[in-house]
Every structure is written in structure tokens, then in C-alpha cells.
Amino acid sequence: CAIICCGFWTYSHISHDFNTSPFAYSNKQEEAKYNHFQNQFHQFEAESTIILKRNEGFNSISIFRKLQTFQDALHNLKGVERLTSLQTLQLPEKTVFGVVYNNALPLDDSLFSTKFSRLKEYPDVREKFLSINDQFLCFYVKDDSSNVHFAQDLDSALTTINFIDDYYVLGATVQSNQAEQSMAKEALWIGIAAVLLLLFFFYIFIPSLQRLALILLITGLNVSLSFIV
């Protein structure tokens, strides 16, 4: 019982670190030099990149209105701090009163076609959100890491979109969540396999079903007590 309790306590205190940057440098001096140069510039916040694919393209106001409804729902997910897309992006325009910033893609019937065509005038901006053939669309989500199920919630939200053909999600938070879930599942299956293997060896050395059932009962009670503790 003490061994099982000790094992359970140890497992519950295991932490996961998926940051691979410490392995990118051969020594501490190179890492310190990189950090020194990197700190001279603005530190960009980590974001998750969501890529949507639609074979018919993202080029009509009706599709972007559907996207707006989805993005509003996505913005309400737990942990989401900011969502950046073509609908939230603002571009500078020169007027008689000076330079003003307007929405890059307003969902207005009288403005949408003109604004959508003008995106070609900003290739450095367009390529961050919309592919050349209009079939792939990107938007970026900044989360505060408070939702440990962020990847699962995001995936559930994306599966509700019925007007796209495929999607893909990139980002440290999402990949970390997925890795932790995968490791939890693997740990569960390893535990089950270990118990079955233990019972198998007990059966070989103690060829009695009654004694084996007694051992299984005692093991179950010890595991239950370890969860309570």
C-alpha cells in the first residue's frame, strides 16, 4: 500500500516541459548571446494559428459573415484574450483630413467588393491572412494559458464549421495540450498493462483463482486508498 501511495503521489507531481529551446545551443555562452540580441527587440506573444481550407475559396461577403459568427463564438472561449483576423485588422487610408485607420474588410454590401480587391495593394498583409488562390484563410488566437483544455475546446469549435473542407491548428499552447493528453492516455494504458502483467505472473507462481482474486481485491483496495489519500 505504501509503494502504491508513493507511486501515485509521485505521478501526481510530474510536470511536463515541452520547450526545446535549451537544446538549440551547444553551450550556455551561445544561449546567453542569443538572449542578449533577442532582448533588444520587441518580444512577440505566442499565438495559435488557425488555418481554414475551403475549395470554393474565401471571397464572398456571405462566407465572411459566417466566419464572423464563428469568430464571435470563438472569442468567448475560456482563456482567449485576443483574436486577429481580416475582419479585425485595420489598414491606413489617406483622406483630406489626414490618415485614418479603417477595417480592412468591412462586412458591408456597398464596401466589401472594393475593400476585398484593395487587399492586393497590401501583399505583405494579405499573405498573413489569405492565400493567393483564396482557398486558405488564417487567423490568430492569443490565449492566457488558463484553460488546460484549450486545444480540445478549440477543436470542438472548429468541427462546428460546416462551410469549410478542412482545418489545421498550429501553436505552442495547442501542441502542449495535445501532448499532455496523449501522455495521460499512454500512462493509463501502461498502468493497465502493468496490472495485467502482474496478475499473469501471480497466476504462474500461485495457480489458484481464489488466491488470485484475493490479491486482485487487496490491490484494488490499496489503489482506492491511494486515491483517497
Side-chain angles (χ1 to χ4, degrees), residues 31-178:
E31 183 179 359
K33 183 177 181 180
Y34 168 79
N35 291 330
H36 172 70
F37 279 86
Q38 180 67 23
N39 291 335
Q40 310 308 313
F41 300 92
H42 174 71
Q43 299 295 312
F44 293 96
E45 298 174 309
E47 294 181 330
S48 297
T49 303
I50 302 174
I51 306 173
L52 306 181
K53 179 184 179 182
R54 186 172 186 269
N55 294 331
E56 297 180 7
F58 296 93
N59 46 27
S60 66
I61 190 171
S62 60
I63 292 299
F64 277 95
R65 281 174 175 166
K66 292 179 180 179
L67 279 172
Q68 185 63 51
T69 301
F70 164 72
Q71 290 178 190
D72 291 341
L74 186 62
H75 199 274
N76 292 326
L77 283 181
K78 179 183 177 182
V80 174
E81 284 187 353
R82 183 179 65 251
L83 189 149
T84 307
S85 68
L86 275 176
Q87 289 99 303
T88 63
L89 184 68
Q90 291 190 332
L91 295 176
E93 293 185 2
K94 189 175 182 180
T95 66
V96 293
F97 301 104
V99 177
V100 297
Y101 287 84
N102 295 318
N103 290 338
L105 202 63
L107 300 181
D108 187 296
D109 291 322
S110 60
L111 298 175
F112 180 84
S113 296
T114 303
K115 293 286 188 177
F116 187 83
S117 300
R118 284 199 61 194
L119 288 176
K120 296 179 181 179
E121 300 177 12
Y122 303 92
D124 56 330
V125 174
R126 177 192 166 99
E127 66 182 8
K128 293 180 175 62
F129 296 94
L130 190 63
S131 64
I132 296 176
N133 58 9
D134 297 340
Q135 291 184 348
F136 295 87
L137 182 76
C138 277
F139 50 95
Y140 308 91
V141 178
K142 172 68 175 64
D143 68 283
D144 58 10
S145 302
S146 63
N147 185 3
V148 296
H149 302 292
F150 178 72
Q152 184 177 353
D153 293 344
L154 185 59
D155 188 67
S156 299
L158 286 167
T159 55
T160 62
I161 309 179
N162 56 8
F163 54 89
I164 63 173
D165 297 294
D166 203 359
Y167 67 87
Y168 195 77
V169 181
L170 299 169
T173 301
V174 173
Q175 292 173 349
S176 177
N177 289 165
Q178 291 174 343

